[in-house]
Structures are given as structure tokens and as C-alpha cells.
Amino acid sequence: MIQTKWVLNGKAVPVNLYFNDRIKIDWPKPWPPSWRLIKDEVKVMDGWQWNKDKKEWTITHSLRNMRQLAQLNYPCQWENPYTHDHPTTITHPDRQYRPDQAELIQFIINHAGKGLGVIGAYDMGRGKSLATFASLEELKQQRFPIYPIWLFGPKNAINISWHQQWHQWKPQLDQSQILMTNYEQIKNVMDQESIPPRTLVLDESIYVKNPKTKRAMLIQSIVKHMQNHYGKDYLIILLCGRPAPRVPGDWWNQVEICYEGYLRESSPQLLNKRCGKWEMIDEGYGQYPKLIGWIPEEIEALYRRLKKGPVLFSTVKENRTYLLREIEPTKEALDSIKLIRDDEDTAIGKLTKLRQVSDGFIYTRSGDKTSASYFGSPKLEAFSNDLELLIHNGQNRIVVFAGFTASVDKCTEEAVKAGWNVIRVDSRGWHWFGKRGYDTNFSRTTGRRENHLYHLFQQQTLQIPIAIIGHTGSIGEALTLPCHFMLFYSNDFNPKNRQQAEARSRNPNVTIIDYAYLPQDYLVINTLKRGETLQGLSMGQIFDEEQLALVRTV
């Protein structure tokens, strides 16, 4: 037995520990007034059990629980392995690093070889790829063993963004020792490679937020293999857009990959339980807890904990400007709303038709074929005017999003008329509409069509106006685009697509323009900005004039 004291609510409470295959936790009789606090701590630990017959609490004898016990013990036997106080002295003769890039490079270097992982929580376009290359270059110069390097990310990020960044910056690293591939190939890589990586890089690490997915479990297996093979002489780098996830539990597994047991709770569900406001709901088949919001104090405490640990947040603040183009609907458009309201369709079906009318077309079906019938829209005219105004004012890179394939095609047509060269990106692939020659002049460094067109858009020295036009969910989640203006001609049903679309700009001061023509357009825009899907809208919300008028004032 080991007698300890746990610090709970500022008081040292006696607790006895018995170490066998499992760890038994007991406290002196009679039970102290704070016994419920002890029980609450036990119930967030890994593998806790209550034996009714023996009347004893036990937990798994694991590294995570040992770290938790060390943090609870008085005097504390655990020291935070992370440090955020470090001078940024990184320089390069041929590159200029921004202050936040230099800070991330130094943060990665400082925690190499300590059995730790780090998370760079930076906005899109803040140079995370270059910071990763630069930190590995610096570690190699310091003779820290970095090879082999495994880098996993979303397919588009690897095929386009990372390869383009590699050819742009030409890092002084041994390319034969670097494996860059997408998350779907993790199992194949593990089967083919007998030696684990010494450096593991996970781009868009939100892809491994759920610890129960096969992808996340394979990553955890790689981390365990690294620990067994190298001890503490390894490095894990997670890269994500500066997250303010709607669900705090999305942080849990990312942090667990970096340092097992850093967060108190043993699962993302328990972390959500602590941070959330819950109420019991009874809908006729039993009661269940329903989340009604997040507790600001707990969210702040979580972020303070993250900032003291594996996460480095970018200090660059976004200053996005949102503009709303309000177009007065015609009488014909208002009559269409009444016709759609009275037809026999579901709420989401009717809203889909209204979104099509707003965009200036309607899908019709003949046999097995679906085609778009265009009839024009004042919204399209306003959009065309903006395209001409932007090119007249010297803008040469813009991004346009639309909710339907027919809308993408119409926006492409209008952009070409206005003098833009267009890269159309949707389920049909990447296609060029503009000056001849640019789409076929593939460079030896890019190869595939999408790589070439992406590289073309990135070239600021190429003074021809280029617009990328596509669905909100079609442009890769890890691709960054140099533009000062984003135009949302229309949206799809998924709020995550809207959020990811806005994150594509590498310019923190980007101007985002929305177009509202029908009353329901305001409803769609506000619903997506609240992070809610359109499928949850009721018939009353879609057609009730008082509710629509209220939404318009928000």
C-alpha cells in the first residue's frame, strides 16, 4: 500500500493505492466529506471499475493512469514536459520567416527527442509546411536523428499542396528517407515498412480526432511502435488549422497522440461531459442527456491547459470582412416561392428548389436524365457586375463557390465573359477555361493536371486574372489559395463545407461576399454560419414570412 494525498478543491485528501495487475484506490474510513470528489476523479480514469461485492474501486495499471495519479498527488510528482518560453533565433540565408513561423519552428525543435508530440494550431496559409521542413532541417544540422520521416495527410493535401511546397522551398532533406502519402495508405505503409518512423507528421490532424476509427487506432499503433523502438528519441508533429472546434472532445485524441494522459479525462466523451451543459430529455422511450450548450469557464480552462502543453496557437488574428449583396426579388421569383410551397415535397426538397430558383435555373428530369433549365436571375447579374468590378480594380486571384453543378457552370461562363481565366474544381475534376496553352504547359515539377493548375493559381508573378470556381466541398481541405476576395454565389447544405471553404484563403484579411436574392437565401446563410445543416429546417422556418423577416434582420 502507498499512502498519498490528492489535491481536490484546494485541499489534500488522504488516498491509499494498492498496485497489482490493476490499481486499487481506497480512502480511510469513515469516508471523508470529499469522497464524492475522489470518486469523480476515479471515474474519468482509464478502465475504472467498481466491484460491488468487494466494495472497491480499481483502475487499469497504465501509463495514462500513472501520469494522472502523479498530477493528483500532493506534493505534485509530475512536471509539465512542455515549455513555451523560448527565444526564436531561427534564420535562413535564403528565406524570410514570419514571426509566427519562427515560433513554430522553435517550438518543434525544443520538444524533439523528449518523447513528446506537438500541435501547430495555425490558420490555413500561415506556412505550417515550410515551418515543418525548416524545423527538420535545423534538427538535422544539430545532428538529431530525424529519419525515417512519415508524413500523412488528406489526399489533395499530399498530392498537390505538400509536393508543391517541397518543390518551392527545396528543403535540404533526404527525399529517399521521407514517405509522404494520404491517410488511406497508413495500413499499407505499416505492412511494407519494418522500421517505424523517427519523425511522424500528421497534416490536418482533425482527421484522427476520433480514437475509435481505424485510422486513429493505426496512428496510435505507430506511436507505440516508435516509443518501443526509439525510447524518447523521436518527434511527432501534428498540424491543423487553428481550431475552435464546436466539440471540445475533438482535441482529446490529438493531444493523446502527443502525450498520453496530459488531459484529465480518459475519453473525448468525458471531456465533452465536463465542458457541456446537459439536460435530461424524455421523448417517450426513456430519458437521455441532451447537450444544450458549452460552459464558457470550462472551455477557457481547457484552452489554458492546451496552451501550457502540446498546442502552439498562432498569434495572427483574422480580420475577415463580410459583405452581403442584397438583390430585390422579382414578382416572378416571389410567385415561384408560392408554387414551390404548395407542391407535394419535403421541406428540404422545397428548399433545394428555392435555392435553384435563386441561382437562376431549375433541374428537370426526363426519363433517366436530369438537366438544368436556365432562366436567369438578377443575382447572376449582380455577380457578373462584381466580377467585372474586381478585374477592373486590379484583382487577379479570386475564389468563387456555388452550391450546384449548374451554378458552377453558369458562374464559370459569366467569369470567362468578364475576362477571367477559370479553374473549375468539382466532382468532374480540375479543368481550365481561359487562355490556351496554360492548361497544357505542365512543368516537370508538378506533373498531374490538378498540381499544375494549383501551382498556376499560386504564381503571384503570373499577372493574368485567374478565378477558381467550384463547390464549397470540392476544393481540398488542406489547399491554401492566395486571394483577397471570396464570392459565395450560393451554398450547399453542409456547414462544415462552408467553414472549410472560408478557411481556404491564406489571407487573414480576406473579403467574403454572399448573395441574397430570395428571402430563403438569408435563412440559408444564417443557418450555415451557425454551424447547422439545412436538413434541420422546418416547413414553417422556410415559408413563414414573419420568421423569414426576423432572420433577415439578424
Side-chain angles (χ1 to χ4, degrees):
M1 179 187 75
I2 298 178
Q3 294 180 330
T4 66
K5 290 184 178 181
W6 288 6
V7 180
L8 302 170
N9 276 7
K11 296 182 179 179
V13 181
V15 176
N16 300 326
L17 304 177
Y18 300 82
F19 290 86
N20 291 299
D21 293 338
R22 293 176 61 81
I23 303 174
K24 185 175 83 170
I25 300 175
D26 194 15
W27 44 89
K29 309 297 188 293
W31 286 4
S34 54
W35 72 271
R36 291 185 184 276
L37 297 176
I38 301 175
K39 185 185 74 170
D40 289 343
E41 290 296 334
V42 173
K43 291 180 74 172
V44 296
M45 291 188 183
D46 187 26
W48 68 269
Q49 290 180 1
W50 165 247
N51 189 313
K52 292 183 180 180
D53 298 330
K54 295 182 180 180
K55 297 189 181 304
E56 65 182 26
W57 294 93
T58 61
I59 58 174
T60 305
H61 195 160
S62 65
L63 174 63
R64 159 171 259 285
N65 283 338
M66 292 300 293
R67 286 174 172 168
Q68 290 298 307
L69 292 172
Q71 292 181 64
L72 285 167
N73 191 62
Y74 176 81
C76 184
Q77 299 175 351
W78 178 83
E79 290 186 8
N80 189 346
Y82 290 96
T83 173
H84 286 256
D85 297 325
H86 45 261
T88 53
T89 58
I90 302 300
T91 59
H92 191 281
D94 301 320
R95 303 180 196 141
Q96 291 290 327
Y97 299 127
R98 294 190 298 267
D100 56 334
Q101 276 182 313
E103 187 178 13
L104 178 57
I105 295 167
Q106 193 71 58
F107 187 65
I108 293 171
I109 293 170
N110 286 357
H111 295 96
K114 298 180 180 180
L116 301 171
V118 297
I119 303 174
Y122 277 37
D123 285 315
M124 298 296 298
R126 296 310 302 170
K128 299 189 292 292
S129 303
L130 175 57
T132 302
F133 291 145
S135 61
L136 294 176
E137 285 178 325
E138 184 69 22
L139 287 168
K140 188 187 77 169
Q141 291 178 7
Q142 296 178 10
R143 299 189 180 282
F144 178 82
I146 60 173
Y147 300 120
I149 300 170
W150 291 4
L151 192 158
F152 296 108
K155 189 174 182 179
N156 271 346
I158 297 297
N159 291 345
I160 303 177
S161 182
W162 277 94
H163 284 290
Q164 191 264 342
Q165 293 286 319
W166 177 277
H167 292 297
Q168 178 181 353
W169 299 112
K170 297 177 175 58
Q172 299 303 303
L173 299 170
D174 185 354
Q175 194 169 6
S176 67
Q177 294 274 8
I178 303 174
L179 190 154
M180 285 196 288
T181 189
N182 60 71
Y183 283 116
E184 284 69 31
Q185 300 300 318
I186 297 176
K187 183 65 167 61
N188 293 336
V189 171
M190 293 176 67
D191 291 342
Q192 294 169 9
E193 304 291 332
S194 57
I195 299 176
R198 196 181 282 268
T199 301
L200 177 65
V201 182
L202 304 179
D203 189 28
E204 293 297 321
S205 55
I206 198 73
Y207 273 62
V208 294
K209 67 180 181 180
N210 185 347
K212 293 186 178 180
T213 61
K214 183 178 179 180
R215 177 190 300 145
M217 289 189 285
L218 289 172
I219 292 295
Q220 285 287 10
S221 177
I222 293 173
V223 173
K224 295 292 184 187
H225 199 181
M226 293 168 67
Q227 292 168 344
N228 294 335
H229 199 85
Y230 302 115
K232 289 186 176 181
D233 288 335
Y234 64 84
L235 175 61
I236 300 173
I237 305 171
L238 276 67
L239 304 171
C240 61
R242 181 172 57 190
R246 291 169 47 209
V247 181
D250 287 356
W251 278 112
W252 186 88
N253 198 51
Q254 297 180 71
V255 174
E256 199 76 356
I257 289 170
C258 294
Y259 186 79
E260 186 179 358
Y262 183 78
L263 294 177
R264 167 178 174 264
E265 289 76 13
S266 60
S267 72
Q269 292 78 16
L270 289 170
L271 182 57
N272 287 335
K273 183 178 179 180
R274 169 166 70 91
C275 294
K277 298 177 183 178
W278 303 83
E279 66 178 19
M280 297 304 295
I281 301 294
D282 190 344
E283 294 188 349
Y285 45 83
Q287 291 189 334
Y288 67 94
K290 181 180 180 180
L291 177 69
I292 59 173
W294 302 107
I295 304 170
E297 294 79 11
E298 292 292 351
I299 298 295
E300 290 175 11
L302 170 63
Y303 274 80
R304 283 197 302 270
R305 178 73 174 166
L306 294 173
K307 290 176 181 178
K308 291 179 180 178
V311 185
L312 181 68
F313 290 91
S314 171
T315 55
V316 176
K317 294 183 179 180
E318 292 181 348
N319 188 27
R320 293 175 180 169
T321 300
Y322 289 89
L323 301 178
L324 182 63
R325 292 279 188 267
E326 299 185 86
I327 301 102
E328 191 69 26
T330 63
K331 180 179 181 301
E332 291 77 11
L334 296 175
D335 291 339
S336 298
I337 295 175
K338 296 175 183 178
L339 292 173
I340 293 171
R341 180 190 60 195
D342 296 336
D343 70 14
E344 296 179 3
D345 202 347
T346 61
I348 189 62
K350 293 179 180 183
L351 182 58
T352 301
K353 291 176 182 176
L354 289 170
R355 290 166 52 218
Q356 293 172 17
V357 170
S358 174
D359 282 9
F361 77 97
I362 196 77
Y363 279 128
T364 57
R365 191 170 182 83
S366 177
D368 295 333
K369 293 184 178 181
T370 300
S371 58
S373 299
Y374 295 96
F375 44 77
S377 165
K379 183 169 84 169
L380 188 63
E381 296 175 10
F383 170 73
S384 300
N385 290 336
D386 283 342
L387 291 176
E388 293 177 2
L389 186 62
L390 287 168
I391 204 169
H392 178 73
N393 288 336
Q395 296 296 324
N396 63 6
R397 297 292 186 275
I398 63 170
V399 181
V400 177
F401 295 103
F404 301 95
T405 298
S407 308
V408 170
D409 290 343
K410 203 63 180 175
C411 289
T412 299
E413 181 184 324
E414 294 299 317
V416 171
K417 287 180 183 178
W420 290 91
N421 299 278
V422 174
I423 300 172
R424 192 190 68 193
V425 184
D426 57 14
S427 58
R428 296 168 290 185
W430 291 59
H431 294 277
W432 174 261
F433 298 84
K435 291 185 178 180
R436 304 182 71 175
Y438 288 104
D439 58 329
T440 55
N441 185 24
F442 286 67
S443 69
R444 288 175 293 176
T445 59
T446 53
R448 299 171 57 185
R449 173 180 291 273
E450 57 264 35
N451 296 44
H452 171 70
L453 294 178
Y454 177 68
H455 181 68
L456 200 67
F457 192 84
Q458 297 279 353
Q459 289 182 345
Q460 295 294 291
T461 55
L462 186 63
Q463 293 298 312
I464 63 169
I466 305 177
I468 284 186
I469 301 180
H471 295 141
T472 51
S474 62
I475 298 176
E477 291 184 9
L479 303 186
T480 57
L481 304 171
C483 64
H484 292 282
F485 286 86
M486 283 186 163
L487 285 64
F488 284 83
Y489 183 69
S490 56
N491 295 270
D492 67 8
F493 62 90
N494 191 337
K496 290 184 179 180
N497 288 343
R498 169 75 191 219
Q499 294 162 7
Q500 287 289 346
E502 289 190 14
R504 299 285 65 77
S505 175
R506 70 168 56 163
N507 177 12
N509 301 315
V510 64
T511 296
I512 296 173
I513 302 176
D514 279 288
Y515 295 84
Y517 174 44
L518 300 183
Q520 287 77 11
D521 290 337
Y522 298 90
L523 177 65
V524 168
I525 293 168
N526 282 287
T527 300
L528 294 175
K529 286 188 175 181
R530 290 198 306 270
E532 300 171 7
T533 63
L534 301 186
Q535 289 95 326
L537 295 173
S538 66
M539 204 77 77
Q541 290 174 297
I542 296 171
F543 290 103
D544 185 273
E545 293 183 2
E546 290 186 4
Q547 291 194 47
L548 290 172
L550 182 62
V551 169
R552 187 166 181 169
T553 62
V554 175

